[in-house]
Amino acid sequence: MKLIFAKNLEKTYSTGEIDVTAITSADFSIDSSSFVSFVGPSGSGKSTLLNMIGCLDRPSGGKLRVLDTDVTTLDRKRGAAFRAKHIGFIFQDFNLIPVLTVFENIEYPLIMVQKWSAEKRRKRVNEMLEAVDMTDQAYKLPSELSGGQKQRVAIARALATHAKLILADEPTANLDHATAYRIINLMKQMRDEFGSTFIFSTHDPKIMEAAEIIYTLEDGVVNLTKGENP
Ligand code: ADP
Ligand code: MG
C-alpha cells in the first residue's frame, strides 16, 4: 500500500520581503512498512518535508497524500488530530519531558490520545520498554540517561500508540557515531516488529547505508538515489 504520495510538492516561506523556496516540485512516494531516509546538507529542506508529511506545516502547492488523506486541506485542528492518531515523532534533541520518568514519558501519548485504562497502558508501556531494551531504566528520569538511552525512550514513546508512520528528524545528530548506528538499527528492528513506516532525515552520510530507500535533497530538489519508487 502506498502510504505517502507527493506530486509537484512545493513549499515557499514568505518572511517579510523575501520568499525562501524550501522545496521545489518534489515527486515521491513511500510504501507502508518502508525504511526511508531523506538525506541532504543543512538547509536543503529535510525538516520542511518531514513537517509537511507530519501536518506540522502546510505545502504551498502540489499534492500530498498521507495514509490516503489529502493533508494539504487539513486546517490546524484537523491536522493535529490526524497527527495524534497516526504519526509518531522522534526528535534530534529527544524532547522527553524532564519531570516524568521513562515509564511516564512512554505512557504520555496513551493518556493524551487513547484514553485507555491504567492497566491497559501499563501493559503497553512495559511491552515498549522491552522492545527498546529499557525495562531496567523505567523509573529513571531523562536527566539520568545517556543520549542513546534517551533516544530509545523517544522511539518507544513514538511507537506506543502503534502509530503507522514514524517521522524522525535527524534522530542521531546528537549521538556519537556508534550510538547513531545502534539507534538507526533499532528503528529498523522496530519497523520489522511493528510494521510501521519509518522516515528519518540525516546529513550524516555514514548512517545512510542503513536506509533501504534514500531521497537526496539538494537546494529543495528531491531525487531518489537508493531503492525504488513504489
Ligand atoms: P534542513 O532541515 O535540511 O536543514 P530546512 O527544511 O530546515 O532544512 O530549511 C530549508 C530552507 O527553508 C532553508 O533555507 C531555511 O532557511 C528555510 N526555512 C525553514 N523554515 C523556515 C521558516 N519557518 N521561515 C523561513 N524560512 C524557513
Ligand atoms: Mg532540519
Side-chain angles (χ1 to χ4, degrees):
M1 183 196 130
K2 211 171 273 186
L3 195 88
I4 298 172
F5 174 79
K7 183 91 190 151
N8 289 327
L9 189 63
E10 303 270 345
K11 179 67 186 181
T12 300
Y13 293 104
S14 306
T15 46
E17 263 135 68
I18 38 159
D19 286 352
V20 177
T21 298
I23 296 294
T24 323
S25 133
D27 296 341
F28 59 90
S29 50
I30 292 172
D31 264 344
S32 58
S33 301
S34 15
F35 197 70
V36 181
S37 184
F38 288 117
V39 174
S42 179
S44 58
K46 303 181 296 296
S47 296
T48 302
L49 264 185
L50 289 178
N51 290 345
M52 288 193 289
I53 294 168
C55 306
L56 289 168
D57 208 347
R58 279 170 81 172
S60 329
K63 288 191 178 138
L64 180 60
R65 296 184 72 80
V66 179
L67 288 153
D68 264 334
T69 300
D70 177 0
V71 297
T72 60
T73 60
L74 295 183
D75 60 24
R76 200 172 275 270
K77 198 173 160 200
R78 284 164 63 222
F82 179 79
R83 184 165 61 242
K85 194 159 174 215
H86 300 293
I87 303 176
F89 277 92
I90 296 166
F91 300 94
Q92 173 176 336
D93 48 7
F94 321 120
N95 279 20
L96 300 177
I97 302 171
V99 295
L100 299 184
T101 64
V102 165
F103 184 100
E104 290 164 337
N105 265 282
I106 300 170
E107 187 183 33
Y108 190 75
L110 299 174
I111 294 173
M112 298 310 287
V113 182
Q114 308 278 34
K115 310 213 161 44
W116 284 0
S117 67
E119 176 55 25
K120 203 171 170 194
R121 292 198 306 266
R122 193 184 58 78
K123 222 173 142 228
R124 175 63 63 85
V125 174
N126 285 334
E127 175 192 319
M128 296 317 303
L129 280 166
E130 200 166 315
V132 299
D133 199 16
M134 286 289 288
T135 304
D136 51 1
Q137 318 284 333
Y139 297 102
K140 286 194 174 162
L141 290 171
S143 59
E144 300 173 277
L145 305 177
S146 69
Q149 288 175 323
K150 282 183 205 165
Q151 204 55 306
R152 281 172 184 274
V153 178
I155 292 169
R157 179 180 59 181
L159 275 165
T161 61
H162 286 184
K164 290 212 181 59
L165 176 61
I166 308 290
L167 301 175
D169 196 358
E170 303 209 32
T172 59
N174 290 337
L175 302 174
D176 65 79
H177 186 222
T179 309
Y181 258 121
R182 279 201 290 276
I183 286 298
I184 296 294
N185 284 325
L186 175 66
M187 296 201 308
K188 200 187 240 173
Q189 190 189 318
M190 296 293 102
R191 183 283 307 270
D192 295 343
E193 195 167 332
F194 295 98
S196 305
T197 298
F198 276 78
I199 306 178
F200 67 100
S201 75
T202 184
H203 63 250
D204 183 355
K206 291 193 296 300
I207 62 167
M208 279 166 46
E209 68 194 50
E212 292 162 356
I213 294 167
I214 292 176
Y215 285 102
T216 300
L217 282 89
E218 221 180 290
D219 295 334
V221 178
V222 179
N223 280 305
L224 180 71
T225 52
K226 181 179 178 183
E228 273 174 47
N229 226 341

